[in-house]
Amino acid sequence: MKCCDAEKYIMKYMDGEISQKEGEELNQHIKECQNCKESFLFYDNMIQLLEQMPMHEAPEDFEINVMMKIQALEQTEQRNFVKNRILGHIWGTFTVVFGTGAILVFYKKPIINALENTQYFKKWVQNIAPIEQNITQQKQAVQVATENIILWTDKMITNSFGIVLVLLCIACAVQYMILKRKKERDRIQHKWIK
């Protein structure tokens, strides 16, 4: 008998399902194989310990509580499934809109030129042209304002850094003087104690 077969027979023995013939074969193998013998004794001791442990009755409402928790988990999973589907649709819509916007931004001129050359869209493009010019002017105004804010912030940080550096030096000097006086007091006090 191989050890893997002996392992199966040991499990059958523990479950109380081993036949007399299988039991005899297992017994013969255990006499010859030290590893399987140790395995058998380990499982046998474990079953004996489990049989010695006191049995506890489950509370009367145990099954109901378990079923309620299972239902709550199923409802949570269902809500998460719906939530994930909704988020998936939102993300998909955002991706399509963002992609379309990116294409329109990057290929604005060729698209407008192609639409101007089509008789169906020519008037429509002519109506949009002033809007596009207005947007371009607003974009330039925002860029100028942003650059001014960045310059102003840079100046403030540079000036603030100088002020902070001076205040930090003053704080360090004051701290040094306080520590020096404390050290002198401690030295004088130490002389009086001796």
Side-chain angles (χ1 to χ4, degrees), residues 13-25:
Y13 173 80
M14 298 301 156
D15 293 337
E17 298 175 354
I18 195 166
S19 68
Q20 184 174 352
K21 182 183 175 197
E22 292 170 338
E24 290 170 1
E25 290 176 17

Side-chain angles (χ1 to χ4, degrees), residues 40-189:
F40 176 81
L41 292 174
F42 172 78
Y43 288 125
D44 193 46
N45 286 336
M46 189 167 48
I47 286 184
Q48 288 177 12
L49 286 173
L50 289 172
E51 287 174 351
Q52 292 173 2
M53 292 178 73
M55 296 293 285
H56 294 283
E57 291 282 328
E60 288 181 24
D61 58 348
F62 180 76
E63 185 178 349
I64 294 170
N65 288 337
V66 169
M67 294 308 291
M68 287 173 57
K69 288 181 181 179
I70 290 172
Q71 286 176 346
L73 285 173
E74 288 174 350
Q75 289 174 351
T76 302
E77 286 178 9
Q78 188 176 17
R79 272 188 251 122
N80 286 340
F81 175 75
V82 171
K83 179 181 165 186
N84 289 338
R85 288 207 55 189
I86 291 170
L87 288 174
H89 290 301
I90 290 171
W91 183 248
T93 304
F94 170 76
T95 304
V96 169
V97 169
F98 182 78
T100 305
I103 289 170
L104 290 174
V105 166
F106 290 122
Y107 298 104
K108 175 177 65 173
K109 295 281 186 201
I111 291 172
I112 290 174
N113 290 337
L115 291 175
E116 279 180 336
N117 295 332
T118 308
Q119 66 178 9
Y120 299 110
F121 295 106
K122 191 172 191 172
K123 280 190 175 183
W124 182 68
V125 171
Q126 289 172 352
N127 291 337
I128 290 180
I131 296 171
E132 195 266 331
Q133 289 173 352
N134 190 11
I135 290 172
T136 304
Q137 289 172 353
Q138 289 178 359
K139 178 182 152 190
Q140 290 170 350
V142 168
Q143 284 177 337
V144 168
T146 305
E147 289 171 4
N148 288 337
I149 289 172
I150 290 171
L151 289 173
W152 180 78
T153 306
D154 188 42
K155 286 180 184 178
M156 289 298 292
I157 290 173
T158 304
N159 291 340
S160 299
F161 181 72
I163 294 170
V164 168
L165 190 60
V166 169
L167 290 175
L168 187 61
C169 289
I170 292 171
C172 288
V174 169
Q175 185 69 28
Y176 173 76
M177 295 301 290
I178 291 171
L179 289 173
K180 187 175 177 182
R181 286 185 183 169
K182 184 176 186 270
K183 193 174 183 181
E184 286 178 25
R185 263 189 268 129
D186 289 345
R187 193 169 28 99
I188 293 171
Q189 223 175 19

Side-chain angles (χ1 to χ4, degrees), residues 189-194:
Q189 223 175 19
H190 187 65
K191 283 183 182 179
W192 284 98
I193 292 174
K194 286 185 179 180

